[in-house]
Amino acid sequence: MDGMTDEATTPILTVEGAIATIRLNRPRVHNRIEPADLLALSGHLAAIEADAGIRVAILTGTGKSFSSGYHLGDLAARPGAEVTARADGPSFEGVATQLENLRVPVICRLNGGVYGGSTDLALCCDFRIGVDTAEMMMPAAKLGVHYYPSGMLRYVSRLGLNAAKKLFLTAETIKAPEMLAIGYLTEMLPAEALDARVRALAERIAAMAPLAVQGIKRSLNEIARQDFDEAGALARANASQASEDLKEGLAAFREKRAPVFHGR
């Protein structure tokens, strides 16, 4: 999945059945994210959102690193690059929010190190499956950057205040076992087991009832942000109880067979 290509490109989207994969593709600069990549990422996320046949997405990188973060040259030339959109593309924060709010669950396949803003992109995903040689660092304070609000909120809500303070206020690099211990990694695996595990998880999620999965994801993210729309969650729960998917799930349970869901 992470084979090198002849030249760097903007992120690549592939769709195989119900599974979409977005791959960052600048391996020689450790998949550094350029302004053009934000535009491409936003377009890919919009395409996934609009395709009802897609039930799960994977975000990964080409080569030995997941991503070295946002291009510092653009940040130096345009200090608002993280939070302010430009005429030819969105802001980094905007793409992160779009990723977090994606209709379908997202698995981050962490094939290597993850640094800077890309640590937040991974936190926007619902699962982070990483190799046991991975590491992470958040250098914002070391560079003089006060991080954008939604990114700090994700850090605290996903990892807890103590872990967020350590990562933001010390800019220390932590290794995969500590990433697992603080909850940054959902699972830690040897490199040779990564693809099989990510694929198995994606297929498991894709086989579940999409209305229920997508509704529950939305509600859980709202709870984590402390902006839970209880009325909206209740409406989604009522809709699921009236769905054909629920009838199919109960029938499959009675008949001791795998259910076939259609998202309606």
Side-chain angles (χ1 to χ4, degrees), residues 187-209:
E187 297 179 30
M188 181 181 72
L189 299 165
E192 60 270 20
L194 182 64
D195 283 342
R197 176 56 185 145
V198 169
R199 184 72 187 186
L201 180 59
E203 290 177 348
R204 181 177 182 86
I205 294 170
M208 298 182 74

Side-chain angles (χ1 to χ4, degrees), residues 26-81:
R26 299 186 188 276
R28 290 176 178 80
V29 289
H30 302 279
N31 298 316
R32 181 180 68 204
I33 296 173
E34 306 280 353
D37 297 330
L38 294 179
L39 184 61
L41 281 170
S42 182
H44 292 336
L45 293 173
I48 293 170
E49 186 74 24
D51 188 340
I54 295 174
R55 297 186 181 181
V56 63
I58 298 168
L59 176 64
T60 192
T62 303
K64 296 180 179 180
S65 300
F66 173 70
S67 176
S68 56
Y70 190 68
H71 183 30
L72 295 179
D74 190 54
L75 191 59
R78 200 170 61 89

